[in-house]
Amino acid sequence: MALRFGIIGCGQVSRVGHGPAIAVDSRATIEAVADPDEGNRTSFARKFKANRVFKDYREMLSNAGLDAVVIASPPWLHRQMFEDCIAACVHILCEKPLATTVEDCMRMTEISKTTDRIIQICHSKRFETGFQKIKEMCESGSLGRIYQMSLDWHYYIPDFTQGFLRKTLDFFKKAGIDFEKKYGVWRYFDERTGGGDFFDHGPHYIDLMRFFFGEIESVYAKTGFSYPGRKFEDQAIAVFTLSNGALAVIEKSCLAIGRPEGYEKGMINAEKARVRFEAFQEYEHRPMKLGVYRHLNMIPDVFTPVFLPRGISNTLYFRQMRHFIDRLTGCDSIKRDFTGKWAAETEDAAIAVAWTLAAYRSSREGREIRRSELFE
């Protein structure tokens, strides 16, 4: 019998990520969906043939007979929904960021220990084929000692609260096309989000650092604020010191003129090689680009490309869901060449949020924040 899934939150991440990933797996079905927005829930249920539709997720938990739930709501709602799902004894796949405060993250970590249900947090980049390959190279020792990691992740989101862009968005909204609603513009204007672009995306790579290299020891960061209509920063630079002695730099910005889906490029410098990667907007379902530059590459001065599996089923949302369903069914259908756990657990996600908030604290206080201060 197929696993019965419920989805809380029928916005973009569910429409493009979780919904399609469940739909193609014969071991699961979307039994029910819940969303307070009538348009979201009815259109999603129609597209993915959900059997039942609810306005209130608590009613869904009580009446739909679910095996597992995807929490895909805004992060300030996660803690209460997480607790209610724990009480309902369902397996949980919860979106990141885990929550918006360290206190909520700590509470969620503690209550996750009270259930025998499987809990997985959507640090989906762990399931990118390219990042899986980097994890395997790190674990095999083929890179040698890691010295440094850098990431440039830029979007171009101009000020659309006034002028021509405001008029254009209003025109489409009157025609029934609400781009701001579809693409989650609340992230930039709602104080409940807990932070800006760095809070939304930074936890991905903070989690990857720990996944690849081990613990983080400290962070020093600066943030910038350019458009007064936004509630939080629109650019940030954070420097992390890792336990293995390596340094990592994350540059995030909404101000870099370029393609709408942005640029996400990085480099890992190590004793035996350099690794260059480029990831693409998750909703595009495109494979990463990955290249390795070893000593012999100095002769032609080019990176050797790494072949990565193609096809939508090999993109991160689909592999993340497949691994989650594997865990629920006792399978292991995705080949990998590294040991230990793959998916992020509640504690991993809590630590990612804590380091993200530590970066904000570093910017406010103008000093380095160390690991001993994370949960103060």
Side-chain angles (χ1 to χ4, degrees), residues 83-96:
E83 291 190 13
D84 292 337
C85 287
I86 293 283
C89 295
V90 293
H91 303 288
I92 300 170
L93 182 64
C94 180
E95 267 297 337
K96 48 76 30 210

Side-chain angles (χ1 to χ4, degrees), residues 220-265:
Y220 183 83
K222 295 292 289 183
T223 62
F225 187 91
S226 299
Y227 292 133
R230 294 174 182 169
K231 297 297 182 183
F232 299 100
E233 91 292 339
D234 42 28
Q235 55 183 324
I237 297 176
V239 180
F240 296 87
T241 303
L242 309 182
S243 295
N244 64 359
L247 298 176
V249 181
I250 296 178
E251 295 187 30
K252 277 301 280 118
S253 176
C254 299
L255 306 175
I257 296 175
R259 62 193 183 202
E261 65 270 22
Y263 298 85
E264 185 179 341
K265 300 180 180 182

